[in-house]
Every structure is written in structure tokens, then in C-alpha cells.
Amino acid sequence: MAGGGAGLAKRLGTLLSGLLECGVFCGVIFGWASLVFVLKDLNYFRDLCQPTNTSHNQTSQTGCGEQDEQFSLVFTIGSFMNNFMTFPMGFIFDRFGTATARLIAITLYTGGTLLVAFSTPELAVLLFPAMSMLSVGGILLILTNMQVGNLFGKYRSIIITLYNGAFDSSSATFLIVKVLYGHGLSLKAMFLFMAACSAWHLLRTLFLMPCTRIPYPLPPGYNYGLRCPGHSKSYRTYEEKRRPEVAGPEETPLEGSAPRVSTYTNAFAFTQLCGVLCAPWNGLILDRHKRGKTPRPEGALGALADLRASVLSLVVTVVQCVLFSICAAVPVLPVQFATFMLQVLSRSFLYGGNAAFLAIAFPPQHFGKLYGLAMALSALVALLQYPCIALVRGPLHGDPFYVNLGLIAVVLVAFVSPVVVARECRRRAKELGAAGTPLAAPPGAETPTEMPH
């Protein structure tokens, strides 16, 4: 870096602190299955259950369909808000910059944790706004963090995908809440502590993040933080993946057969920790052409090389999603361990690859809006999980075979994406060839004006 710019130590501090932020706080909503164990033990939504002929103790532990549906609805709305609200929040990020977006995110996150902390079984309805606020706040935090990849040049895609992997791993936060609750900590105390962690987010906003945006390519002498104001410019979700006929945490007693079902819930939660390890693999695929001895070409040739590298990433991502969908449809419970692993791998590639692809293929000043639009569309699709569950429980009499078959067919359509991108690469290559630009320019050769990233 040129004199006066952000040094390596500061940039590494931004990177590592951002990983911690994304890996602990941003995607906690996807650990909902673990939190439900705690909420059911505290009798949230228990008043919706009808009394049965069994003993009171057994009734209080097993739950009921109405209670399960409320927990499912909380998650459906929260995960919908997680994706859908990314669109307007992307506009805010692009228009007003990082500081404003992060302050909104911190406010939402703090409000959500406080609502959970002060909720009670009688005020279980507070879970609806609380999970929505945690979702929107978390997705806005990761949206501001993904630009950190711009600080590291040729490792840009790796860092973007790494952050998305950390986002996936943060679902394990509610697993920690479940474990600590089992050791005697109260739900209120744990969520008050999470609310107090907002001070960490605020300090990062002031000292380790830009006021507006981090530009790409990074100009010489670039700095950010309080010292230089004005100088700096992602499932299918758990409920979608869980087969309705397989007993989940919301439908199983906490006593008796609970150890077996809790094993699968814990296995699902623990596999989410691997998201941060899986996501960089996609970044390595996207950035593979930058690691050769020949320097990466600049301008239009560099943009074309980046776009070509994304084709393999898209193919690998779709293959993983197809394999995951097939495994999820197999009605054998032990097979779901493989489903958990494929879910983490495919989601890491999907969300991280989506963010990296948008950064590669489109102008950076529109990244927030485009990322938000993609997430909003996925939110609309995610709304289908509730009627799908109702369809399986109702007309299909608990048999999800035809629903799973339909979902596999839909996923197969995604192979259109790498085909379209490959055709676009060929079109751009022909245009550059017609303009007299060599497709393998020697180092230091002049290139035409840069095409949009």
C-alpha cells in the first residue's frame, strides 16, 4: 500500500473481526431448531395445545401440532424476512453507505435480542418480530462485510465466499444457547449478553469499516475508519430440508426417545460449523486463474477471465444442490447425515458463489441492490415451504415423495445458469477479437477500457 493507506495489520484486523461477526451473529436464525428445544421446555405456545388423556408431565413434554405450527411459522416468517428485506436494505447500502447500513443493522439486532430476552410463554408472540429483526439485522451485517474482499485483490472471491461460510456457521450460536441452557443458564441472561455484544458491532463500524464503500480495484493510499471520513466510498432453510415425516425437535418429547432425536438435531447444528470451512473452496475455484505465474490481465480481458472462472463454480454448485435434494428425498433416517453435510456444502457454494458472481459480473455500485434482489426472490420461493408442508400433511397423507420429486426437477433447471454464462463469455470473446484485442495479452500490454464487473 502507498503511504497513508490502510496497512496490512489494519486490513487483517478488519478481515478477522468480520469473520467473527459473521460467524457468531449474522445467520443465527438458521439455528432455530436448537432454540426450539429451549422454547418448548419453557412452554412457549403451550396454551395452544389441547389436553390429552396422558399424564400432565408427558403432555408438557411432547408438544402438539398447533404448537409446532407456531414454531414453524416463526421460522418461516423470519427466514422470509432474512431474504426479502435484503432488497430494500441493498438500496440503503448503495445509497447511504456502510456506516448507515450498519447502524440500522445494529439497531435491529439489538432490538431482536432484547425482545427474546424479555419474552415469556405468555408473550410468546414476541418471537415473531424478534426473529425477523435478528434476520434482517444479520443479513445487513454480512452485506456490509462482503466488500472487505476488495481490500485483498486477487483473494477477493475467496474472502467473499469465506464470509458467506461464516454466515452459515453462525447458526450454531443457538446450539450453544441450547447447551448452556441445559447447564443452567437462563434464556434471558444469554440473550441479554447477545444484546450487549452490539457494542462490538458498533466499534467495528467506527474503526474498522468505511463510511461509504470499499472501492474495487483498490486505489493507492486508500484508508478507512474514523480517521478518514468521506474518503472511502445469503437457504433452502432448515424447514425446507427437513422431511415432514421425520420427527424433528419440535415434534419429539424431551424425555424418553429424546436422546435419539436430539442426536440428529445436534448433528445438524454441528455440521453448520463446517460452513466456514467449505465456502472458501468455491472462492478457490473462482480465483484459480489468478494464481498462475502469468499476471491476471486487466480491463476487459480481466473481466472476461473472471466471468469464465465462474462457469465451473456454477456447475459444481448445481451438482451439489441436485445431490442434496436427492439425499433429502431418501426415506432412510441415517442417510440424513449425508444430507446434512451436502446441505452445508451446497448452501456455502450457493450463497457465497452468488455474492461473488454478482461482484464479478456487475458494476460494484449496484452490488447491494442486485444482491438484495436475488435474496428477495429466494425469499418469495421460501414462502412455498409452508404450503408444501401443509400439502404433505394433508392431501398427501404424510408422504413427501411427490413434493421431493418436484423439488428435484426444479433444481435441475438451474443447469441453465452456467450454460447462459458460458454463452455470454463466448460472445464477449468474439467482441474483443473483432475489436483486435488479443485474448492472451502479454504482461504489461495495454487493454481497452474496462468492461463492467
Side-chain angles (χ1 to χ4, degrees), residues 281-328:
W281 300 350
N282 199 10
L284 290 171
I285 294 175
L286 288 163
D287 286 340
R288 67 187 187 280
H289 61 293
K290 302 176 183 178
R291 295 190 295 273
K293 295 181 179 180
T294 304
R296 173 186 177 272
E298 300 297 330
L301 291 177
L304 179 59
D306 289 344
L307 197 61
R308 278 176 169 166
S310 69
V311 175
L312 177 59
S313 169
L314 292 171
V315 171
V316 173
T317 300
V318 178
V319 170
Q320 289 173 348
C321 290
V322 171
L323 292 175
F324 159 69
S325 300
I326 292 173
C327 284

Side-chain angles (χ1 to χ4, degrees), residues 55-100:
S55 66
H56 172 73
N57 181 63
Q58 183 177 351
T59 302
S60 65
Q61 296 293 335
T62 57
C64 65
E66 292 80 2
Q67 183 187 34
D68 296 336
E69 287 180 2
Q70 287 300 302
F71 284 127
S72 178
L73 188 59
V74 171
F75 178 77
T76 299
I77 293 175
S79 57
F80 169 79
M81 295 296 289
N82 178 80
N83 293 340
F84 185 77
M85 288 304 294
T86 312
F87 188 37
M89 292 302 170
F91 272 101
I92 292 175
F93 172 60
D94 286 340
R95 175 64 180 84
F96 299 103
T98 303
T100 300

Side-chain angles (χ1 to χ4, degrees), residues 168-326:
D168 292 342
S169 297
S170 65
S171 59
T173 297
F174 282 167
L175 172 64
I176 297 174
V177 170
K178 173 178 176 282
V179 171
L180 293 178
Y181 175 80
H183 284 79
L185 257 64
S186 70
L187 185 70
K188 181 176 182 179
M190 288 185 282
F191 273 85
L192 285 176
F193 174 78
M194 292 174 66
C197 289
S198 295
W200 162 263
H201 307 311
L202 185 60
L203 289 174
R204 284 199 74 242
T205 302
L206 295 177
F207 296 102
L208 291 176
M209 294 297 286
C211 299
T212 51
R213 286 195 308 271
I214 300 175
Y216 183 82
L218 205 64
Y222 176 77
N223 208 341
Y224 55 93
L226 278 182
R227 295 180 55 189
C228 52
H231 289 279
S232 55
K233 292 286 206 228
S234 173
Y235 309 298
R236 289 160 17 143
T237 56
Y238 173 71
E239 287 294 333
E240 289 180 278
K241 301 169 188 59
R242 183 169 62 88
R243 302 192 343 269
E245 82 279 12
V246 177
E250 300 91 335
E251 303 164 349
T252 309
L254 296 180
E255 298 177 352
S257 61
R260 172 178 174 81
V261 175
S262 185
T263 296
Y264 280 90
T265 302
N266 290 344
F268 175 81
F270 276 119
T271 54
Q272 306 309 300
L273 289 170
C274 299
V276 71
L277 303 177
C278 299
W281 300 350
N282 199 10
L284 290 171
I285 294 175
L286 288 163
D287 286 340
R288 67 187 187 280
H289 61 293
K290 302 176 183 178
R291 295 190 295 273
K293 295 181 179 180
T294 304
R296 173 186 177 272
E298 300 297 330
L301 291 177
L304 179 59
D306 289 344
L307 197 61
R308 278 176 169 166
S310 69
V311 175
L312 177 59
S313 169
L314 292 171
V315 171
V316 173
T317 300
V318 178
V319 170
Q320 289 173 348
C321 290
V322 171
L323 292 175
F324 159 69
S325 300
I326 292 173

